[in-house]
Amino acid sequence: MVAPTRRLGKLHREGRAAYLFLSPALLFFCVFLILPFVFAIVLAFSDWGGFDLGTLKWAGTSNFRDVLSFNGIFVKPILVNTLLFAFGSVFLATFGSVLVAYCIDRLSFQGFWRVLYFLPVVATVVAIGNVWKMMYQPAGLINGVLNKLGVNSIGFLSDASYALPSVTVVQAWASIGGAVLILTAGLKAIPTQYYEAAEVDGANSWHLFWSITLPLLRPALLFVLITQFIGGLQSFALIIVMTGDGGPVNATNVAAFEMYQRAFKYGAWGTASAMAMVLFVIILAITLLQLWIARRRGEETS
Amino acid sequence: MRRRFPWFAYLVVILGAVAMVMPFLDMVMSSFKGAGEYGVIPYKFLPSSFNLDNYREAFSQLELPRLFRNSVIVTLSVTVSVLVTSSMAGYALAKLRFRGRAVIFRFILATMMLPPFLLLIPTFLIMLNWPLAGGNDILGRGGDGGLTTSLVALILPFTVSGFGIFLMRQFMVSLPDEMLEAAKIDGANQWQTWRLIVLPQTKPVAITLGLITFIGTWNEYIWTLLISSSDPDLQTLPVGIQLLQSFLDPDRTMPIVMAGLVISTLPVLVVFLLLQKYYVRGVVLSGLK
């Protein structure tokens, strides 16, 4: 009877120690995660303009009705912009990073190349945004090159039809390096025997890529797609830095930025929180959809 | 076929690398351009001379020393705190047996899925109404600014990282139990075991996590912009540099801004290049789990 009691006592002590070790983290998550999350939900359903919580009023779903009404600007152009910005940059970055990662994997000095592609990931969004803003100007590097080639200058950020694609390219440019890194790990995990066997069977490099590399790269690719979508749908620092107010005429305004403006410029906490909730649900839906598609595909092939 | 000279691969990688590096070269070159050289057509890549006027201007206009000091204080505080709290929580989750361990671990995984923008508004309001701070009463009312009036506001919301705890836990699971048992037989308590046995072993993953946190915090923009909007004394390098443009003529300012950006990018770049081996390994390690 002595052994079990001592064991229990030891477990009890270990449990107390464990919670002591965990206490800073758990306390933090209560104050900076659970509390704000609940607060965000309450705000989205309430009418509140000031700073005194006593004046907070329940508003039901009216904030959501305002935000999602088709007469407003939130659904179109802002949500449409958000989706175009995220889909566009994820498409460009994924296509680019698969190509680059696959190519780097066949060269020497691989570490050197990867570091070059990684530079934008290390730089602040203020540096990235301003450098590209400068390069996009009529007297900037890109128009300089275009002029040399006999093309007239393009108002990349001042022309409403070019502005959104122009920021989308920058977002993709900045995220290629991170994706290359993750895809490289995926590529390294593919056994070389597969390639050798296929080569014996006479497969060319296109076949190898299509029927060996791409299917086996799927877990890494899925991770890149999901994280980039989540990032792309909520990011707006680049928009602030490059276009200031989401202009010209809302051409580059995205949902998270509109939320920021409504909240901190106009103090419309309710509407802004409803916007955040809508965007959150969209992010969740797209993530679950991607996971679902990946799982279905996985079942078909295996 | 793999032995053939991969000219196509070289072409793709080199063209891409030029696109990656060119903006940074343009940034450096523009930081040396004089008043008449910037914003003129036709565009010239090289400055006529490498004089340091813009850097001098950046130091006086931007109050670079103040911005730099804030950036260093915030970044070091957050990095140290994340390392300590992550390794503590990671140790408990990896090596201690207690009720609720599975639930807490799942909860920590879930914390990584809440996008930051969702918590932006409520977190700001919580900081503003923090009890007994900045003149607030016990209910968080009546003061002017709560916690948002000091650098604490830039540090506190980032002191713990769910991702950091996850990373530490994954690494510590693989530490041999015998080593910890031996420490216990020698009479070490949990705190001593963590501090003297476990902590020194975590060096590789600590370097990775430290670097990721350092780079992320040094470059943080939105939250700092928000907090410092009413108090310029709280600006960090990215925010201070960005705001310089709003009150000066752009053609004159851009080269000064570029000088400021070169200065603010250099510390991160140096740290990254020195430790990039660990960074790369850490991103790969964490990315595919």
Side-chain angles (χ1 to χ4, degrees):
Chain A
M1 284 307 280
V2 178
T5 339
R6 263 172 65 189
R7 221 181 115 75
L8 270 177
K10 179 177 169 277
L11 269 181
H12 188 70
R13 271 204 309 278
E14 219 171 276
R16 213 167 44 199
Y19 278 101
L20 280 176
F21 276 109
L22 282 164
S23 56
L26 293 180
L27 190 69
F28 174 89
F29 286 133
C30 286
V31 179
F32 287 103
L33 215 98
I34 297 177
L35 184 61
F37 185 55
V38 174
F39 199 9
I41 297 172
V42 172
L43 277 176
F45 290 100
S46 52
D47 189 12
W48 188 37
F51 288 103
D52 183 2
L53 272 172
T55 61
L56 189 134
K57 274 198 297 276
W58 185 254
T61 54
S62 74
N63 289 328
F64 289 94
R65 257 179 285 137
D66 286 352
V67 165
L68 292 173
S69 104
F70 282 88
N71 305 321
I73 53 163
F74 188 70
V75 175
K76 191 181 169 15
I78 292 172
L79 265 188
V80 176
N81 285 347
T82 311
L83 292 172
L84 286 175
F85 178 72
F87 273 88
S89 59
V90 170
F91 174 77
L92 289 175
T94 309
F95 182 78
S97 56
V98 169
L99 185 68
V100 167
Y102 185 62
C103 288
I104 288 183
D105 202 39
R106 313 177 71 199
L107 306 182
S108 22
F109 306 113
Q110 297 190 6
F112 168 74
W113 296 117
R114 255 175 247 125
V115 166
L116 287 188
Y117 280 88
F118 209 70
L119 287 180
V121 187
V122 180
T124 155
V125 66
V126 174
I128 289 171
N130 278 302
V131 170
W132 277 88
K133 193 167 112 186
M134 182 178 77
M135 295 201 306
Y136 274 148
Q137 277 169 12
L141 183 131
I142 295 175
N143 275 317
V145 173
L146 287 178
N147 293 345
K148 275 259 163 50
L149 298 170
V151 182
N152 283 335
S153 292
I154 296 171
F156 287 102
L157 293 175
S158 54
D159 187 327
S161 52
Y162 287 113
L164 190 64
S166 300
V167 260
T168 306
V169 167
V170 180
Q171 171 83 5
W173 174 86
S175 46
I176 280 184
V180 164
L181 216 56
I182 288 156
L183 293 174
T184 303
L187 286 173
K188 297 275 180 224
I190 301 176
T192 45
Q193 293 97 297
Y194 289 3
Y195 291 106
E196 283 155 13
E199 275 172 51
V200 171
D201 290 345
N204 63 29
S205 51
W206 180 247
H207 284 140
L208 292 181
F209 176 77
W210 202 246
S211 53
I212 297 178
T213 312
L214 217 49
L216 290 174
L217 202 55
R218 209 170 51 211
L221 209 51
L222 183 70
F223 179 83
V224 167
L225 277 175
I226 290 180
T227 50
Q228 298 226 348
F229 257 114
I230 295 176
L233 285 168
Q234 62 169 316
S235 68
F236 59 103
L238 197 62
I239 306 282
I240 294 189
V241 173
M242 290 187 73
T243 68
D245 59 350
V249 268
N250 275 328
T252 60
N253 197 352
V254 291
F257 182 52
E258 182 70 12
M259 169 208 86
Y260 182 86
Q261 298 262 76
R262 291 286 173 104
F264 300 112
K265 211 164 155 188
Y266 307 112
W269 308 115
T271 330
S273 299
M275 287 176 180
M277 279 297 156
V278 170
L279 186 58
F280 178 52
V281 170
I282 292 175
I283 289 180
L284 215 58
I286 291 183
T287 308
L288 292 176
L289 189 72
Q290 282 173 306
L291 283 171
W292 182 69
I293 292 172
R295 191 171 302 161
R296 247 175 53 127
R297 282 261 195 82
E299 272 160 15
E300 273 167 22
T301 47
S302 61
Chain B
M1 158 259 114
R2 296 202 115 205
R3 259 157 275 130
R4 219 190 307 153
F5 182 71
W7 64 269
F8 178 73
Y10 268 109
L11 189 73
V12 169
V13 170
I14 290 173
L15 279 181
V18 170
M20 289 295 138
V21 177
M22 213 45 194
F24 292 103
L25 285 181
D26 199 31
M27 173 167 105
V28 175
M29 292 306 160
S30 304
S31 74
F32 291 110
K33 283 179 182 169
E37 282 182 275
Y38 179 81
V40 280
I41 301 175
Y43 168 83
K44 271 210 193 68
F45 179 64
L46 291 172
S48 60
S49 72
F50 287 89
N51 70 63
L52 295 171
D53 288 352
N54 294 320
Y55 287 84
R56 253 173 245 129
E57 282 279 300
F59 266 93
S60 57
Q61 297 266 16
L62 277 168
E63 297 182 62
L64 270 183
R66 173 175 62 85
L67 298 176
F68 203 87
R69 202 201 62 197
N70 284 351
S71 275
V72 168
I73 292 175
V74 171
T75 304
L76 289 186
S77 309
V78 170
T79 307
V80 169
S81 162
V82 163
L83 283 174
V84 171
T85 57
S86 300
S87 62
M88 278 170 64
Y91 173 61
L93 289 169
K95 288 298 177 196
L96 299 181
R97 255 145 276 310
F98 60 96
R99 280 174 65 134
R101 182 164 81 154
V103 178
I104 292 181
F105 183 56
R106 241 173 264 154
F107 168 72
I108 288 184
L109 288 181
T111 63
M112 289 191 265
M113 287 166 204
L114 273 190
F117 81 90
L118 183 68
L119 307 180
L120 196 64
I121 296 171
T123 308
F124 180 75
L125 293 171
I126 289 170
M127 299 299 276
L128 209 57
N129 293 292
W130 196 276
L132 302 175
N136 285 347
D137 62 15
I138 189 95
L139 291 170
R141 284 190 270 190
D144 44 7
L147 272 187
T148 65
T149 51
S150 74
L151 284 179
V152 173
L154 304 182
I155 298 167
L156 200 56
F158 301 96
T159 43
V160 173
S161 147
F163 164 74
I165 296 174
F166 171 72
L167 197 67
M168 279 290 178
R169 187 247 172 211
Q170 298 304 86
F171 180 82
M172 288 177 178
V173 161
S174 63
L175 293 178
D177 285 327
E178 295 78 29
M179 201 172 62
L180 306 183
E181 286 298 325
K184 255 164 242 166
I185 289 165
D186 286 348
N189 62 28
Q190 292 293 354
W191 180 259
Q192 289 163 327
T193 312
W194 171 76
R195 171 72 195 77
L196 301 167
I197 310 292
V198 176
L199 215 52
Q201 303 284 324
T202 58
K203 200 174 141 202
V205 71
I207 292 177
T208 304
L209 179 60
L211 251 177
I212 291 175
T213 313
F214 179 90
I215 293 175
T217 314
W218 186 269
N219 292 337
E220 205 287 320
Y221 179 64
I222 296 292
W223 179 254
T224 314
L225 180 72
L226 191 58
I227 293 295
S228 63
S229 62
S230 53
D231 189 355
D233 281 346
L234 302 182
Q235 288 168 356
T236 56
L237 277 166
V239 173
I241 293 172
Q242 178 61 22
L243 292 179
L244 172 73
Q245 304 175 64
S246 45
F247 53 90
L248 286 174
D249 163 40
D251 274 1
R252 182 66 208 107
T253 329
M254 230 13 165
I256 302 169
V257 168
M258 289 302 141
L261 289 176
V262 170
I263 294 171
S264 77
T265 309
L266 271 179
V268 204
L269 193 66
V270 169
V271 172
F272 168 69
L273 288 179
L274 284 176
L275 299 171
Q276 54 96 6
K277 203 173 64 192
Y278 299 96
Y279 193 109
V280 170
R281 198 194 296 155
V283 172
V284 170
L285 234 151
S286 57
L288 286 170
K289 279 270 165 69

